[in-house]
Amino acid sequence: MIKHLLFLLLTLFISSCLVAGYEDFKALTRYNYYTTEKAGQVLVLVPEDLLNKEIKIDLAYKYRYLVRGVPVEKGKTRGLINFPLDAFPVGTDTIVCSFYVDNMWVNSAYVIVIKLPPHPNEVKIDHYSGGLIVDDLPFFPFGFYCGSPVYPTFPEEEYVKGFNMMSPYQKIDRKTLKERKAYMDRCAEIGMKVHYNVLSVCGGGGESEGRKSYKSQQEKQKLLRKEIELFRDHPALLAWYISDEPDGQGVQADSLRAAYNLIKELDPYHPVSIVFVTPSSAKAYKNVMDIVMADPYPIPNGPVTEADQAAKTLFKDFYPEKPVWIVPQAFGGNEWWTREPTPQEVRTMTYLAILNNVSGIQYFIRTGLNAFPKSTIMWSECSTVALETAELTPFLLSFEDQPEVSSSSGDIRTKAWEKDGSTLIIAVNTKNQPGQFTIRIADSVYSGKADVLFENRKIAVKEGRIEDIIDGLGTRLYILSILDEPDKMPVNPHNLIVDPGFENSPVPGIPSACYAKPGKDRGATYFTDSRVSLQGSHSIRLTTPVKEKGVSLSFYPMLLKNKRSYSLSIWAKAKQSQDYAIWKGTNFIYRLFHRKQAPDKQLQFTLSLGNKSGNFTLNYDWEKYILNSWDIQPGKGNIHLCPGLELISKGTAWFDLMELVPDIEMTVEPGLDTEGIRINLSTIHQGASIRYTLDATNPGLNSPLYSEPIRISNSALLKAAVFSENQKIGFAEQHFLVNKATGKKVNYISSCSKLYDGNGDITLVDGVLASDNYKDGLWQGFLQDADLIIDLGDEKQISKISSGYLQDINVWIWLPTSVEYSISLDGLTYSIVKNLPDTISERKGGSFRQEFTSSFEPVNAKYISIKAKSIGVCPDWHKGRGGKAWVFIDELTVE
């Protein structure tokens, strides 16, 4: 103990006597403060000239080592050193971070550790990524300035477009308090965050300043204190905005210190921001802000690369201490600016900022509907980039190392990020001319395919090189999944839901395989969320602003078979409600404007299928919810049903891995050494039992228990039921037509399409007749003549051959023009039994099944040939004329 104490005292003493050349080490906590975390992290920045050295780190607290000799991976400029937080009380503490190069101490630094009580609306800064942590998730603010008073429907109009933050210019005045409360409450309901403007009582500037204020500093401080106390607990609050271009209006940093200190005293949970007109002047204000912003407005007087340079300057001066945001230009037509940016220019400026590590975008300015900006097309482009950035957030705020990439053209800027085995590459053309280019990934020999994001196409990657074309002032985004990461949870192989994990999003932010029915609240949303998932990399995030007024989703229709039961399931979790902070305000004026009942503590959602629906209560962790829909009776035939989902409670929840699975799955396999077939039964219900009958009676608890495959050598009606705790929870029945061809081998002279191959080689002889729906999974489709041979196994006497076909001209499926049956004993020489012409009009509409049957005098045969002649191409009168026509064939029967 004495030795450790002496060593630490010595370390502190000589920490100011730096070893020459090693003063560029930096260290600070990863988060600007900690609350509920069990462990903290120290972010260490290594000087570039030491990347090939062996770097080790010691962390000490109160004369004791927290960790010793933790290495920083060689060649890395950054490292994260974990340390336990349980020894730290609430408040501000200091730990000592010591740096060793090749086992020699070279420097030490003080690292401030701040630990606070948990807060329902805490916003943390992640110094590693430069991003924010909101609701325990990475958050990339993407929004805009706007005017005041805020129009009542304005927040929802912009939030549904993908913007997640707004910053109204406003005067902090008692007369307008009600207006401020109204838009803040509405933003909280829909999920929009507010970069709260207190310029008029802090550093001034901006659109709201107007004529000079005659309030004294004491009066301003009083109003500021009141405003902070009113809104510091509000769920919509993201950050405090205290000064607009102080460097351009002669406001010194010292004059902002009182306001900054007061905010941090009253509300340590939210950061403070300042925007600068000249990025290089921002360093003088580093002690009175937590977020640094710049507002380059180059169009049309300068190049789009001014946004690039502004972001680069701020990042160089402030990383990792402060996040960097950029204010891209979204206005023009007066003052110094003769026009607005084009959509291409605003996209390029935004992405150039992102390429230079900014972690927030706030456009200047949005007044709507076509005031600022005038161009609705340009503002739509801003919305598009907002949705794209939300999709990219896990990459942009990733703590993994950024691979090096380069472009063949100096006009095309590139950057790459890695996340969980995948690489994101963004290319931005700074020149207003299209062109070809090549991207090279350093030290990569990967060859394969890359997804071109938001374009629904793929492109080849050859040994780490991508060759593509790009528009003038255009962007290209690529995802390379170099490592095949398994899904976090597998999908049931019998699932019927299209896109069960909501992964197919060719349009950013929007689930593809569903319809959305708007509710009574226009601010209800249904975005895909790339930050939260259980299976794959996405979930659907539903937000309902007002109880029972949310949006409902109707998913792509599924074909349910007659006389079967199904279970619909989905995984879900709720966002913990932050609204209680509003209702418990201690200020009388605040409570006066919020005379409402406290919101429900637990959220509920509805899951539906056909005439069956159920309400479920959500928890805060992922949980599987099941709608047992076994009492749905499809009726005489197969039917299509659309699963439905609605968040009926006020709040936000995430949903993932939706599955619609038969309660009992029947699979058929050949009888092998016996006649007929074997039927396997399985159920998705764990711990449940299956009982069955073959005599057309309904199975009960006394019926035979399924334990092994059921052998069927004669036609029979198989009924099965699932029982759990003596209760029937599912059923299935199927009539099997067993004949001499059932379960026998089918040789395909012509191959069916992989799109329509049924259940494989057993499909045409499984004893189950397909319906009149080509999607029921029981048909095999051919884009040519169907040419098949049934091997009966041994010589048999037969007198009837039949095969079933489908006509549905609406989807280019026609009956064959003829069907020829031939028989053989040796498989070499065949004799024609019958050639059956089609007698149904090729113009007959609807969807129907037609049997081609031939009866004849008994004859011996071992092999039977079936040749169904295709119509070839769609007739001239048909909408698909000249296109290839389909032949769909089902069961082959031999008697």
Side-chain angles (χ1 to χ4, degrees):
M1 177 64 185
I2 299 297
K3 291 171 65 177
H4 284 172
L5 177 59
L6 292 174
F7 172 76
L8 289 173
L9 289 173
L10 179 62
T11 297
L12 292 174
F13 173 74
I14 64 178
S15 62
S16 59
C17 306
L18 305 178
V19 176
Y22 297 111
E23 64 273 12
D24 290 334
F25 275 103
K26 289 183 179 180
L28 71 168
T29 54
R30 178 174 179 178
Y31 294 163
N32 61 325
Y33 63 86
Y34 292 96
T35 52
T36 59
E37 294 84 358
K38 300 298 182 184
Q41 290 179 310
V42 169
L43 169 61
V44 175
L45 270 64
V46 178
E48 289 192 8
D49 56 347
L50 299 178
L51 293 182
N52 293 322
K53 300 286 188 178
E54 183 181 359
I55 310 294
K56 291 184 178 179
I57 305 296
D58 288 352
L59 298 180
Y61 172 61
K62 290 187 176 179
Y63 311 116
R64 296 191 179 198
Y65 286 108
L66 295 172
V67 296
R68 294 198 68 181
V70 178
V72 177
E73 187 176 349
K74 187 175 291 187
K76 304 298 184 183
T77 59
R78 300 178 295 181
L80 289 172
I81 313 300
N82 296 326
F83 67 92
L85 275 172
D86 51 1
F88 289 80
V90 171
T92 300
D93 269 294
T94 303
I95 60 179
V96 177
C97 177
S98 297
F99 310 98
Y100 294 81
V101 177
D102 292 338
N103 294 317
M104 181 183 74
W105 175 88
V106 296
N107 195 0
S108 291
Y110 292 107
V111 176
I112 304 300
V113 179
I114 299 175
K115 191 172 181 181
L116 300 174
H119 188 277
N121 185 32
E122 58 192 35
V123 175
K124 294 173 182 172
I125 294 173
D126 182 350
H127 291 124
Y128 192 101
S129 67
L132 300 182
I133 304 297
V134 178
D135 300 327
D136 294 323
L137 292 171
F139 184 79
F140 193 111
F142 203 108
F144 49 85
Y145 290 89
C146 61
S148 177
V150 176
Y151 192 74
T153 62
F154 189 64
E156 64 213 42
E157 290 169 1
E158 300 304 327
Y159 188 72
V160 298
K161 297 175 185 175
F163 297 103
N164 60 21
M165 176 188 69
M166 57 187 287
S167 185
Y169 281 112
Q170 58 194 5
K171 284 288 187 71
I172 304 305
D173 191 294
R174 293 184 181 88
K175 296 179 181 178
T176 58
L177 177 59
K178 186 175 181 180
E179 294 173 2
R180 300 197 298 280
K181 290 179 180 296
Y183 85 73
M184 286 289 285
D185 288 349
R186 183 54 176 163
C187 284
E189 287 180 338
I190 65 176
M192 178 84 84
K193 292 296 181 180
V194 176
H195 189 193
Y196 200 83
N197 180 318
V198 288
L199 300 180
S200 64
V201 291
C202 289
E207 294 254 311
S208 64
E209 187 63 16
R211 54 200 179 116
K212 186 176 180 180
S213 172
Y214 293 98
K215 292 185 176 68
S216 66
Q217 285 300 115
Q218 186 177 6
E219 290 175 312
K220 288 182 178 181
Q221 284 285 94
K222 184 177 180 181
L223 286 172
L224 177 61
R225 174 182 290 274
K226 196 72 169 180
E227 200 75 3
I228 297 167
E229 291 174 344
L230 282 172
F231 290 106
R232 62 186 173 187
D233 294 329
H234 201 288
L237 179 63
L238 181 72
W240 301 100
Y241 178 39
I242 66 168
S243 187
D244 191 304
E245 300 181 344
D247 52 332
Q249 57 174 327
V251 176
Q252 300 300 311
D254 287 344
S255 67
L256 301 174
R257 190 174 305 280
Y260 177 80
N261 290 342
L262 179 62
I263 292 174
K264 303 310 289 185
E265 173 192 343
L266 297 175
D267 179 19
Y269 295 98
H270 295 93
V272 173
S273 69
I274 299 176
V275 68
F276 297 92
V277 65
T278 305
S280 59
S281 66
K283 288 186 289 186
Y285 299 80
K286 65 179 182 180
N287 294 324
V288 291
M289 63 180 174
D290 307 309
I291 296 170
V292 58
M293 306 168 65
D295 52 4
Y297 301 148
I299 305 301
N301 306 309
V304 292
T305 51
E306 285 191 21
D308 175 65
Q309 293 302 318
K312 191 176 297 183
T313 297
L314 291 183
F315 186 79
K316 178 179 178 295
D317 290 343
F318 288 97
Y319 181 79
E321 287 87 356
K322 302 185 190 304
V324 175
W325 295 4
I326 286 294
V327 182
Q329 179 184 351
F331 73 99
N334 207 323
E335 300 175 85
W336 299 105
W337 303 275
T338 57
R339 67 170 177 86
E340 293 179 338
T342 65
Q344 294 79 12
E345 287 169 336
V346 80
R347 165 177 277 268
T348 301
M349 288 188 291
T350 305
Y351 267 112
L352 283 174
I354 290 173
L355 257 61
N356 281 284
N357 302 293
V358 305
S359 54
I361 295 292
Q362 184 170 310
Y363 291 110
F364 187 89
I365 184 173
R366 178 61 170 164
T367 303
L369 295 170
N370 60 345
F372 281 110
K374 302 186 297 294
S375 170
T376 57
I377 296 176
M378 189 258 279
W379 191 245
S380 294
E381 193 67 26
C382 296
S383 166
T384 300
V385 181
L387 289 167
E388 292 175 359
T389 303
E391 172 67 21
L392 302 176
T393 292
F395 283 95
L396 302 181
L397 301 184
S398 169
F399 61 86
E400 298 183 27
D401 290 321
Q402 299 173 346
E404 291 186 17
V405 291
S406 60
S407 167
S408 60
S409 169
D411 295 319
I412 298 175
R413 310 290 173 80
T414 57
K415 190 175 180 63
W417 294 259
E418 281 196 354
K419 175 70 175 174
D420 298 335
S422 294
T423 301
L424 166 68
I425 301 174
I426 299 179
V428 181
N429 188 1
T430 62
K431 195 173 182 179
N432 197 11
Q433 289 183 0
Q436 295 181 326
F437 70 106
T438 300
I439 293 175
R440 291 179 175 83
I441 308 170
D443 303 321
S444 174
V445 294
Y446 172 76
S447 294
K449 294 286 187 179
D451 289 306
V452 186
L453 289 184
F454 319 132
E455 296 184 31
N456 198 30
R457 67 181 175 100
K458 294 181 181 291
I459 194 168
V461 183
K462 298 179 181 178
E463 296 183 343
R465 290 169 47 249
I466 299 174
E467 295 181 358
D468 204 356
I469 59 175
I470 193 168
D471 307 319
L473 297 178
T475 58
R476 288 285 185 269
L477 293 84
Y478 309 94
I479 288 284
L480 289 72
S481 296
I482 297 175
L483 299 179
D484 291 328
E485 291 287 321
D487 286 339
K488 301 171 187 175
M489 181 173 291
V491 180
N492 190 300
H494 303 299
N495 174 50
L496 300 177
I497 297 289
V498 174
D499 192 23
F502 317 121
E503 301 299 319
N504 183 24
S505 298
V507 177
I510 307 300
S512 59
C514 67
Y515 281 163
K517 181 180 179 181
K520 295 181 179 179
D521 192 304
R522 298 173 68 242
T525 52
Y526 53 99
F527 292 115
T528 54
D529 197 329
S530 59
R531 304 168 303 162
V532 179
S533 65
L534 176 77
Q535 186 273 340
S537 57
H538 293 81
S539 64
I540 288 183
R541 184 181 74 243
L542 293 180
T543 297
T544 298
V546 179
K547 184 178 180 181
E548 297 181 348
K549 293 185 179 182
V551 65
S552 59
L553 300 180
S554 175
F555 293 89
Y556 194 81
M558 302 293 101
L559 183 68
L560 274 63
K561 295 182 180 179
N562 185 30
K563 299 179 181 178
R564 299 282 178 95
S565 70
Y566 297 80
S567 287
L568 178 65
S569 66
I570 196 166
W571 289 78
K573 71 171 184 176
K575 172 185 171 183
Q576 289 193 355
S577 174
Q578 298 176 351
D579 288 347
Y580 75 85
I582 293 180
W583 319 111
K584 295 185 177 180
T586 56
N587 183 279
F588 171 76
I589 299 177
Y590 194 86
R591 287 186 283 114
L592 183 65
F593 285 98
H594 293 88
R595 290 179 176 174
K596 302 178 182 179
Q597 295 181 349
D600 296 336
K601 291 183 178 179
Q602 290 184 291
L603 277 63
Q604 289 190 322
F605 74 97
T606 297
L607 196 60
S608 62
L609 184 68
N611 59 10
K612 183 74 178 288
S613 65
N615 289 352
F616 301 90
T617 299
L618 285 159
N619 292 317
Y620 299 134
D621 295 317
W622 286 111
E623 186 172 323
K624 187 176 184 179
Y625 300 87
I626 301 176
L627 178 66
N628 293 315
S629 19
W630 68 271
D631 58 347
I632 292 180
Q633 301 289 339
K636 295 182 179 180
N638 301 339
I639 62 169
H640 285 89
L641 290 179
C642 298
L645 176 66
E646 181 179 0
L647 179 63
I648 56 178
S649 297
K650 174 182 178 180
T652 296
W654 289 270
F655 300 87
D656 202 353
L657 190 53
M658 174 181 278
E659 295 179 300
L660 180 62
V661 181
D663 289 312
I664 298 177
E665 186 67 32
M666 293 184 178
T667 57
V668 179
E669 60 183 47
L672 301 178
D673 56 344
T674 64
E675 295 295 319
I677 52 176
R678 297 194 307 182
I679 304 169
N680 297 293
L681 303 180
S682 61
T683 179
I684 60 169
H685 301 286
Q686 295 184 358
S689 61
I690 302 175
R691 296 185 179 271
Y692 69 95
T693 62
L694 292 170
D695 59 4
T697 62
N698 292 324
L701 292 173
N702 295 322
S703 299
L705 178 68
Y706 174 81
S707 59
E708 60 182 6
I710 303 169
R711 295 177 179 267
I712 294 181
S713 55
N714 295 298
S715 296
L717 176 61
L718 171 62
K719 290 188 174 185
V722 185
F723 291 90
S724 177
E725 298 181 352
N726 296 331
Q727 296 294 318
K728 179 181 174 182
I729 61 172
F731 67 89
E733 64 177 78
Q734 181 65 57
H735 189 237
F736 291 93
L737 298 174
V738 179
N739 57 84
K740 294 179 180 179
T742 305
K744 301 305 180 184
K745 183 179 180 181
V746 178
N747 295 316
Y748 291 81
I749 309 303
S750 61
S751 300
C752 66
S753 167
K754 292 182 179 180
L755 296 174
Y756 302 103
D757 59 357
N759 296 317
D761 293 349
I762 192 69
T763 301
L764 303 183
V765 289
D766 62 1
V768 180
L769 295 182
S771 69
D772 58 3
N773 189 304
Y774 75 100
K775 291 183 178 181
D776 72 0
L778 298 175
W779 291 101
Q780 288 193 333
F782 295 77
L783 278 171
Q784 56 189 319
D785 297 343
D787 193 351
L788 314 164
I789 295 176
I790 304 173
D791 183 351
L792 297 178
D794 52 27
E795 188 176 320
K796 289 183 171 57
Q797 188 178 77
I798 64 173
S799 59
K800 184 179 180 182
I801 305 173
S802 182
S803 51
Y805 301 87
L806 180 69
Q807 180 156 305
D808 188 348
I809 63 176
N810 192 48
V811 288
W812 302 11
I813 302 173
W814 271 269
L815 295 176
T817 59
S818 65
V819 177
E820 180 184 277
Y821 297 129
S822 304
I823 61 173
S824 174
L825 290 173
D826 58 8
L828 299 173
T829 303
Y830 285 84
S831 58
I832 298 175
V833 173
K834 193 73 173 178
N835 190 308
L836 302 172
D838 178 22
T839 59
I840 306 297
S841 169
E842 68 177 20
R843 292 177 178 264
K844 184 176 180 181
S847 180
F848 61 92
R849 176 192 178 94
Q850 181 68 28
E851 301 290 334
F852 283 68
T853 304
S854 174
S855 298
F856 43 85
E857 293 297 321
V859 61
N860 289 340
K862 183 182 178 184
Y863 301 97
I864 300 173
S865 169
I866 301 101
K867 294 182 178 181
K869 186 71 175 177
S870 171
I871 195 175
V873 296
C874 300
D876 288 343
W877 56 265
H878 189 263
K879 62 183 179 180
R881 65 179 181 179
K884 285 188 176 182
W886 288 91
V887 172
F888 267 54
I889 183 172
D890 173 35
E891 200 67 13
L892 308 175
T893 61
V894 177
E895 298 177 3

